[in-house]
Amino acid sequence: MKKIILLFALAGTITGFAQSAKKLEKIVSGITAEDLKDKLTVIAGAPMEGRETATPGQKKAAAYIENYFKELGLEPGTKDGYQMNFSVFQDSVASSSLKVNETSFNVSTDYALSPFSLVGGTWNDDGIVFAGFGIVDSRTNDYKEINVKNKWVAVAEGTLGDADKAAGTVSYSNNDPASNYMKMAQAKANGAKGLIIIAKDFPR
């Protein structure tokens, strides 16, 4: 008896799966490249402003998707509607200043701060260690002969081979040893207190 029940249960599962598969095939057959292009052109368009979380552009994109769901007759995903609300927090730089030998510099004009590893605080140092281009890879280690632990480090942007190339003509992926991201990672790995990257085309 148990075997018969199991057999019927299995048959019901197969039948249900076949029906679901047919429904899915019907839905998929209605999706066209032209329709996808039309929708994505709107969502990725300039009016959406990149759709950064909690920005007007993101809210426009969410409203567009919600209205389309309503047109399709889809039910809301929650009792509160099609969208879920949650708190969003964003760090920002309240103020910054830089002074070298009593000469003050202006943020965004003379220097910029990286949001990747920025921390609050005040630092006063009498010296900075220069670490060339700050590159560490299978052939080069600009930290090999110097000690930067608990010190500020200054490095040149890019690589020696790209130093004479016009500004804006060279770019690096984040995992490239010559990228600013990897230079920050190497400075941190060697115990540096902070990193200054000297750019040839600043301000940008």
Side-chain angles (χ1 to χ4, degrees), residues 16-136:
F17 177 79
Q19 291 176 348
S20 298
K22 288 181 179 179
K23 290 181 180 180
L24 184 60
E25 288 176 2
K26 184 178 180 179
I27 294 172
V28 170
S29 65
I31 300 174
T32 65
E34 183 178 358
D35 190 47
L36 285 174
K37 182 179 179 181
D38 290 341
K39 301 297 186 296
L40 290 174
T41 298
V42 175
I43 294 174
M48 301 303 178
E49 303 170 343
R51 308 178 309 283
E52 178 69 28
T53 302
T55 63
Q58 178 263 318
K59 294 176 182 178
K60 288 180 184 178
Y64 173 79
I65 295 172
E66 179 178 339
N67 289 332
Y68 185 61
F69 282 179
K70 290 178 180 177
E71 290 178 10
L72 294 175
L74 297 178
E75 295 294 328
T78 69
K79 61 182 179 62
D80 297 321
Y82 291 87
Q83 299 186 40
M84 295 179 63
N85 297 315
F86 52 91
S87 300
V88 177
F89 301 92
Q90 182 179 23
D91 292 330
S92 62
V93 179
S95 64
S96 69
S97 62
L98 175 65
K99 182 180 289 187
V100 179
N101 294 333
E102 301 305 318
T103 299
S104 296
F105 296 90
N106 299 313
V107 65
S108 299
T109 301
D110 301 314
Y111 71 96
L113 299 171
S114 170
F116 294 112
S117 58
L118 189 63
V119 294
T122 300
W123 300 275
N124 295 293
D125 288 273
D126 295 330
I128 296 174
V129 180
F130 182 64
F133 287 90
I135 294 176
V136 177

